Amino acid sequence: MRADRVFAYGATAGLLGDLVLGDPRRGHPVAAFGRAAGAVERVLWRDHRGWGALHTAVCVGGAVALAAAAGSLVRPSRTASVALTAAATWAVVGGTSLAREARGIGWALEAGDVEAARERLPHLCGRDPQALDSDGIARAVVESVAENTSDAVVGALVWGAVGGVPGLVGFRAVNTLDAMVGHKSSRYRRYGWASARLDDLAGWPGARLTAVLAAVAGGDPRGALRAWRADAGRHPSPNAGPVEASFAGALGVRLGGTLSYAGRVEHRPVLNGEYGRAVGVQDVERAVRLSRRVTWLALGVSVAGRLVAKKGRTS
C-alpha cells in the first residue's frame, strides 16, 4: 500500500479513535515522553541556551528516531503500517479531551456554578481562575479551544502528512517540550529558548491552516479574515495570533485583553474589538463545534495534500 494511503486510512482511524475513546486515562505516550524529557532535563539543565538546545535535540531527535524505527519495522505489512499510523494519530491528537474539558466548564457556567468552573479551568489553560468572573472564564475557554485546535490537532495532522508517523510524533514532542520548558520563567528563560523557537517554527503551518479553516467553517468568513488581517500581528504569539483572531471573527466575539498568569498580569491586544461582542457562556459550545469542524476539514486537507504531493513526485 502506498504511503499516502497508509496516512489517509491511519489518520482517519486515529481521529475516530480519539472521538470515541479520548485520551487514555493511564499510560499516555505523551505523559511517558514528558517523564523522559524531565529526566533528561535533570541531567542537562544549565542556565544556558546551548544546553537547552541540546536538551531539545536529544528529546525531539530521540522521539523521531524511535518513531522512524517503528515505521521501518512494520513497513512490510500494510495492516501494521495503517495500525501504527492510527495509534500514533490517536496518541498525539487531543481534540476529544479538549472538547470534554471545555464543555465541562461551559456546563458549570450554564448552571451558575462559577466555583466549579474555576476548579476545572486549570485543566484547560494556565489562567488564574480566581481572577475571572463567569464571562472571563468563558473567554479563557474560547481562547484555549482556538489555540489548542491548532496545537493539539491540526499541527499534528499537517506534520503527519509531511512526515508520516515520525512527523506526528515529532510535532507532539516539540509541542510538549515547549509546554514544559518554553515559558519565560527565571529557570527556563535561556534553557527553554530553543524549545520555544522550535515550537514557533513547527506550529507555523498548522496555525495558518487552522485560521483559514476557521474562516471557512465559521459563521462569518469575511469577519474571520478581517480580524486575522487586522489583529493577528499584534498578538505576542506568532501562531496563537492568527488562530485566535480568526476564531474571534468567525464567532463574532472579542478575544484578548487583560489576562492573569500565576499572579502576573498581561495586557494583550483585543482581537476583533471593533466588530465583536463580549464572549458569553453560550460561545463555549459554539467554539467547540467550530473546533470539531476545523479538525475534520484539516484531516481532509492533509490527506489531499499528501495525495497531490505523491502524484507530483511520480508525474
Side-chain angles (χ1 to χ4, degrees):
M1 184 184 295
R2 295 183 341 201
D4 51 352
R5 293 183 181 177
V6 168
F7 174 74
Y9 298 152
T12 302
L15 273 188
L16 289 172
D18 177 64
L19 181 65
V20 173
L21 302 173
D23 289 333
R25 298 295 184 183
R26 295 181 180 179
H28 198 300
V30 175
F33 171 81
R35 289 191 294 271
V40 173
E41 179 188 342
R42 287 191 291 273
V43 174
L44 294 181
W45 188 89
R46 307 287 190 282
D47 190 17
H48 190 276
R49 284 185 177 183
W51 285 95
L54 178 60
H55 175 228
T56 302
V58 169
C59 294
V60 176
V64 171
L66 285 174
S72 297
L73 186 65
V74 302
R75 188 169 293 125
S77 169
R78 293 177 296 178
T79 302
S81 296
V82 171
L84 179 63
T85 304
T89 303
W90 171 64
V92 304
V93 301
T96 294
S97 293
L98 173 65
R100 183 185 296 130
E101 292 297 336
R103 281 175 167 150
I105 297 169
W107 292 334
L109 292 176
E110 288 175 358
D113 194 345
V114 178
E115 285 305 316
R118 286 178 176 141
E119 288 179 7
R120 295 195 67 155
L121 186 62
H123 296 286
L124 188 64
C125 64
R127 308 283 175 86
D128 289 336
Q130 299 305 319
L132 300 173
D133 59 10
S134 177
D135 288 347
I137 293 172
R139 192 192 84 194
V141 172
V142 171
E143 289 172 355
S144 295
V145 167
E147 184 174 0
N148 283 296
T149 299
S150 175
D151 286 345
V153 182
V154 178
L157 292 174
V158 168
W159 283 103
V162 172
V165 171
L168 288 163
V169 172
F171 177 80
R172 178 53 60 223
V174 169
N175 194 249
T176 303
L177 272 188
D178 178 62
M180 294 177 67
V181 305
H183 41 89
K184 295 182 179 180
S185 66
S186 58
R187 177 178 175 85
Y188 295 122
R189 186 175 301 275
R190 282 182 280 271
Y191 188 80
W193 178 85
S195 290
R197 299 290 76 75
L198 183 58
D199 183 68
D200 287 342
L201 181 64
W204 196 94
R208 273 72 192 168
L209 179 59
T210 303
V212 169
L213 296 180
V216 171
D220 186 358
R222 183 176 298 176
L225 294 174
R226 180 180 58 228
W228 180 5
R229 183 172 58 250
D231 298 328
R234 300 191 296 127
H235 195 285
S237 168
N239 293 331
V243 173
E244 291 185 19
S246 186
F247 263 69
L251 296 171
V253 299
R254 296 191 302 271
L255 298 178
T258 301
L259 321 170
S260 178
Y261 288 96
R264 185 182 76 253
V265 175
E266 294 185 15
H267 300 285
R268 292 185 179 178
V270 175
L271 308 176
N272 199 38
E274 184 177 353
Y275 298 94
R277 56 172 173 77
V279 175
V281 174
Q282 73 280 2
D283 295 309
V284 171
E285 179 63 25
R286 296 178 65 228
V288 170
R289 291 180 179 177
L290 177 57
S291 175
R292 285 295 196 194
R293 293 194 294 271
V294 168
T295 293
W296 291 105
L297 286 172
L299 174 65
V301 170
S302 299
V303 168
R306 179 137 186 163
L307 290 170
V308 169
K310 177 69 176 181
K311 289 181 179 179
R313 288 194 298 268
T314 56
S315 62

